[in-house]
Amino acid sequence: MYGAKLQRLVQHYGQALEAQFPLLAQPAVAQPAVALADAALPIVYAQADGSMVFSDEGWREVKLGRVFELSALEQCAVAGQGGRINASTYCTQWLELEHFKPHFSQQVSYWQQQGRVVIFVSDGAIWLRTYLEQAHPGVPLVLDVYHAMAYVAQAAQAGLGSTNRRQAWVEEQGNQLKTIRLDNVLLAIGQLRLSALTRQGVVGYLRANADQMDYKHYLALG
């Protein structure tokens, strides 16, 4: 019952928003990509993820996209405690992925038409990379440091346990990643005593996303 109500609400308000903001109903227009190295223009970040929601029809996937300007980022006054995003534009679909893509692309194309540099922040999902290569070729894709370090921490937990050395080891690998030394991180992971399954998962993830992890370059560009 609740799943059907949720679906009706999403459809109702989605249609109302499209009527109120005609831009959202316009087809996406492909824009030329702006190289990350030329990011002197205002930056806009885009993210997308999915989750499974149980409905009357069983488990259904919901996709959610988020777009926000660099100026919306507010750092916490306490060092090392992150911050918050003050304003975002969201796009969601209670349907198949193919229904989500054009709606999200409309948001991306809008900002490109405004002369903004759009940078996608990824969790390493294959579907997101495939979607970007098809719909927005050339747009920079950056792996979220949090997800990269989650895999590094997984290796540390399995190989070093709860020893005092583990935290220092993880911090050192984080420093290595920020100076474009992924090979050093992979070498350090290779020296840990890990199961074949854990090693394959951690190393496979990092290697698969290596082209999205030029963090030194990203930091230099702000």
Side-chain angles (χ1 to χ4, degrees):
M1 178 177 67
Y2 293 110
K5 287 183 177 179
L6 178 59
Q7 183 172 1
R8 287 195 294 271
L9 284 171
V10 170
Q11 291 175 338
H12 170 77
Y13 286 106
Q15 292 170 355
L17 285 171
E18 288 186 350
Q20 184 176 357
F21 301 101
L23 169 69
L24 299 179
Q26 295 175 0
V29 178
Q31 299 293 318
V34 180
L36 191 57
D38 299 329
L41 297 172
I43 293 175
V44 172
Y45 291 105
Q47 298 174 303
D49 206 344
S51 181
M52 301 301 295
V53 176
F54 190 74
S55 70
D56 291 349
E57 294 79 26
W59 288 99
R60 298 285 298 277
E61 185 172 19
V62 176
K63 291 294 185 185
L64 177 65
R66 182 182 198 181
V67 182
F68 57 92
E69 297 181 77
L70 176 61
S71 59
L73 292 173
E74 181 179 303
Q75 294 297 319
C76 179
V78 180
Q81 295 302 308
R84 65 177 181 175
I85 302 171
N86 290 323
S88 301
T89 300
Y90 293 93
C91 173
T92 187
Q93 285 287 317
W94 174 281
L95 293 168
E96 301 299 327
L97 176 59
E98 294 307 315
H99 292 273
F100 168 79
K101 291 177 180 179
H103 286 271
F104 191 43
S105 287
Q106 288 159 12
Q107 298 289 336
V108 174
S109 295
Y110 167 78
W111 287 109
Q112 290 177 320
Q113 291 166 9
Q114 305 306 307
R116 306 298 180 90
V117 176
V118 178
I119 299 175
F120 278 85
V121 181
S122 171
D123 61 358
I126 296 176
W127 76 266
L128 181 57
R129 178 193 286 266
T130 302
Y131 156 62
L132 291 180
E133 289 176 348
Q134 295 175 349
H136 303 282
V139 172
L141 181 62
V142 176
L143 181 70
D144 183 359
V145 177
Y146 175 86
H147 286 89
M149 290 306 299
Y151 277 81
V152 172
Q154 178 185 346
Q157 176 64 42
L160 300 174
S162 57
T163 65
N164 294 332
R165 181 188 168 204
R166 186 185 70 182
Q167 182 176 353
W169 186 90
V170 171
E171 291 178 356
E172 172 59 23
Q173 305 320 309
N175 291 332
Q176 293 288 334
L177 285 180
K178 292 177 182 179
T179 53
I180 329 182
R181 294 177 180 172
L182 176 58
D183 287 343
N184 287 7
V185 176
L186 295 175
L187 179 61
I189 292 174
Q191 295 173 346
L192 297 178
R193 298 184 63 180
L194 304 174
S195 68
L197 184 61
T198 298
R199 188 180 306 281
Q200 180 180 2
V202 172
V203 174
Y205 178 87
L206 295 176
R207 288 194 182 280
N209 294 287
D211 61 329
Q212 306 173 37
M213 298 169 64
D214 193 354
Y215 297 123
K216 182 178 180 179
H217 182 53
Y218 306 150
L219 290 169
L221 294 173

PDB file of all heavy atoms in Angstrom, residues 32-45:
ATOM      1  N   PRO A  32      29.609  20.854 -25.531  1.00  0.00           N
ATOM      2  CA  PRO A  32      31.019  20.477 -25.585  1.00  0.00           C
ATOM      3  C   PRO A  32      31.609  20.421 -24.188  1.00  0.00           C
ATOM      4  O   PRO A  32      31.328  21.277 -23.353  1.00  0.00           O
ATOM      5  CB  PRO A  32      31.643  21.608 -26.417  1.00  0.00           C
ATOM      6  CG  PRO A  32      30.688  22.756 -26.283  1.00  0.00           C
ATOM      7  CD  PRO A  32      29.330  22.131 -26.193  1.00  0.00           C
ATOM      8  N   ALA A  33      32.411  19.413 -23.935  1.00  0.00           N
ATOM      9  CA  ALA A  33      33.013  19.253 -22.618  1.00  0.00           C
ATOM     10  C   ALA A  33      34.103  20.292 -22.412  1.00  0.00           C
ATOM     11  O   ALA A  33      34.793  20.689 -23.349  1.00  0.00           O
ATOM     12  CB  ALA A  33      33.596  17.849 -22.475  1.00  0.00           C
ATOM     13  N   VAL A  34      34.232  20.756 -21.168  1.00  0.00           N
ATOM     14  CA  VAL A  34      35.298  21.683 -20.797  1.00  0.00           C
ATOM     15  C   VAL A  34      36.332  20.897 -20.014  1.00  0.00           C
ATOM     16  O   VAL A  34      36.011  20.212 -19.056  1.00  0.00           O
ATOM     17  CB  VAL A  34      34.751  22.838 -19.936  1.00  0.00           C
ATOM     18  CG1 VAL A  34      35.877  23.799 -19.564  1.00  0.00           C
ATOM     19  CG2 VAL A  34      33.654  23.582 -20.695  1.00  0.00           C
ATOM     20  N   ALA A  35      37.576  20.970 -20.433  1.00  0.00           N
ATOM     21  CA  ALA A  35      38.631  20.202 -19.768  1.00  0.00           C
ATOM     22  C   ALA A  35      38.770  20.631 -18.323  1.00  0.00           C
ATOM     23  O   ALA A  35      38.605  21.798 -17.979  1.00  0.00           O
ATOM     24  CB  ALA A  35      39.955  20.407 -20.503  1.00  0.00           C
ATOM     25  N   LEU A  36      39.055  19.660 -17.460  1.00  0.00           N
ATOM     26  CA  LEU A  36      39.205  19.955 -16.049  1.00  0.00           C
ATOM     27  C   LEU A  36      40.325  20.955 -15.821  1.00  0.00           C
ATOM     28  O   LEU A  36      40.273  21.767 -14.901  1.00  0.00           O
ATOM     29  CB  LEU A  36      39.488  18.662 -15.275  1.00  0.00           C
ATOM     30  CG  LEU A  36      39.434  18.728 -13.749  1.00  0.00           C
ATOM     31  CD1 LEU A  36      38.083  19.231 -13.289  1.00  0.00           C
ATOM     32  CD2 LEU A  36      39.697  17.358 -13.153  1.00  0.00           C
ATOM     33  N   ALA A  37      41.334  20.926 -16.654  1.00  0.00           N
ATOM     34  CA  ALA A  37      42.467  21.843 -16.499  1.00  0.00           C
ATOM     35  C   ALA A  37      42.068  23.286 -16.784  1.00  0.00           C
ATOM     36  O   ALA A  37      42.763  24.216 -16.400  1.00  0.00           O
ATOM     37  CB  ALA A  37      43.594  21.434 -17.430  1.00  0.00           C
ATOM     38  N   ASP A  38      40.916  23.466 -17.455  1.00  0.00           N
ATOM     39  CA  ASP A  38      40.448  24.809 -17.779  1.00  0.00           C
ATOM     40  C   ASP A  38      39.369  25.281 -16.812  1.00  0.00           C
ATOM     41  O   ASP A  38      38.556  26.143 -17.139  1.00  0.00           O
ATOM     42  CB  ASP A  38      39.876  24.836 -19.207  1.00  0.00           C
ATOM     43  CG  ASP A  38      40.924  24.465 -20.239  1.00  0.00           C
ATOM     44  OD1 ASP A  38      42.100  24.761 -19.997  1.00  0.00           O
ATOM     45  OD2 ASP A  38      40.555  23.874 -21.262  1.00  0.00           O
ATOM     46  N   ALA A  39      39.354  24.715 -15.629  1.00  0.00           N
ATOM     47  CA  ALA A  39      38.267  24.970 -14.688  1.00  0.00           C
ATOM     48  C   ALA A  39      38.377  26.317 -13.988  1.00  0.00           C
ATOM     49  O   ALA A  39      38.203  26.423 -12.796  1.00  0.00           O
ATOM     50  CB  ALA A  39      38.207  23.848 -13.661  1.00  0.00           C
ATOM     51  N   ALA A  40      38.669  27.375 -14.769  1.00  0.00           N
ATOM     52  CA  ALA A  40      38.655  28.716 -14.202  1.00  0.00           C
ATOM     53  C   ALA A  40      37.219  29.217 -14.094  1.00  0.00           C
ATOM     54  O   ALA A  40      36.937  30.150 -13.355  1.00  0.00           O
ATOM     55  CB  ALA A  40      39.481  29.652 -15.078  1.00  0.00           C
ATOM     56  N   LEU A  41      36.317  28.592 -14.844  1.00  0.00           N
ATOM     57  CA  LEU A  41      34.910  28.940 -14.781  1.00  0.00           C
ATOM     58  C   LEU A  41      34.298  28.389 -13.491  1.00  0.00           C
ATOM     59  O   LEU A  41      34.853  27.481 -12.870  1.00  0.00           O
ATOM     60  CB  LEU A  41      34.177  28.350 -15.988  1.00  0.00           C
ATOM     61  CG  LEU A  41      34.600  28.870 -17.360  1.00  0.00           C
ATOM     62  CD1 LEU A  41      33.935  28.046 -18.441  1.00  0.00           C
ATOM     63  CD2 LEU A  41      34.238  30.329 -17.504  1.00  0.00           C
ATOM     64  N   PRO A  42      33.141  28.926 -13.064  1.00  0.00           N
ATOM     65  CA  PRO A  42      32.477  28.402 -11.868  1.00  0.00           C
ATOM     66  C   PRO A  42      32.193  26.902 -12.016  1.00  0.00           C
ATOM     67  O   PRO A  42      31.766  26.447 -13.078  1.00  0.00           O
ATOM     68  CB  PRO A  42      31.185  29.218 -11.806  1.00  0.00           C
ATOM     69  CG  PRO A  42      31.501  30.481 -12.533  1.00  0.00           C
ATOM     70  CD  PRO A  42      32.432  30.074 -13.636  1.00  0.00           C
ATOM     71  N   ILE A  43      32.405  26.177 -10.952  1.00  0.00           N
ATOM     72  CA  ILE A  43      32.275  24.725 -10.976  1.00  0.00           C
ATOM     73  C   ILE A  43      30.927  24.284 -10.407  1.00  0.00           C
ATOM     74  O   ILE A  43      30.438  24.846  -9.436  1.00  0.00           O
ATOM     75  CB  ILE A  43      33.412  24.060 -10.180  1.00  0.00           C
ATOM     76  CG1 ILE A  43      34.746  24.285 -10.887  1.00  0.00           C
ATOM     77  CG2 ILE A  43      33.164  22.569  -9.985  1.00  0.00           C
ATOM     78  CD1 ILE A  43      35.942  23.769 -10.119  1.00  0.00           C
ATOM     79  N   VAL A  44      30.356  23.280 -11.039  1.00  0.00           N
ATOM     80  CA  VAL A  44      29.139  22.628 -10.559  1.00  0.00           C
ATOM     81  C   VAL A  44      29.437  21.145 -10.426  1.00  0.00           C
ATOM     82  O   VAL A  44      30.014  20.536 -11.328  1.00  0.00           O
ATOM     83  CB  VAL A  44      27.959  22.848 -11.535  1.00  0.00           C
ATOM     84  CG1 VAL A  44      26.763  21.999 -11.130  1.00  0.00           C
ATOM     85  CG2 VAL A  44      27.572  24.326 -11.578  1.00  0.00           C
ATOM     86  N   TYR A  45      29.066  20.574  -9.294  1.00  0.00           N
ATOM     87  CA  TYR A  45      29.281  19.149  -9.062  1.00  0.00           C
ATOM     88  C   TYR A  45      27.978  18.380  -9.273  1.00  0.00           C
ATOM     89  O   TYR A  45      26.887  18.878  -8.962  1.00  0.00           O
ATOM     90  CB  TYR A  45      29.782  18.904  -7.633  1.00  0.00           C
ATOM     91  CG  TYR A  45      31.176  19.412  -7.379  1.00  0.00           C
ATOM     92  CD1 TYR A  45      31.384  20.574  -6.639  1.00  0.00           C
ATOM     93  CD2 TYR A  45      32.283  18.743  -7.883  1.00  0.00           C
ATOM     94  CE1 TYR A  45      32.664  21.047  -6.406  1.00  0.00           C
ATOM     95  CE2 TYR A  45      33.562  19.212  -7.660  1.00  0.00           C
ATOM     96  CZ  TYR A  45      33.746  20.365  -6.913  1.00  0.00           C
ATOM     97  OH  TYR A  45      35.018  20.835  -6.694  1.00  0.00           O
TER      98      TYR A  45
END
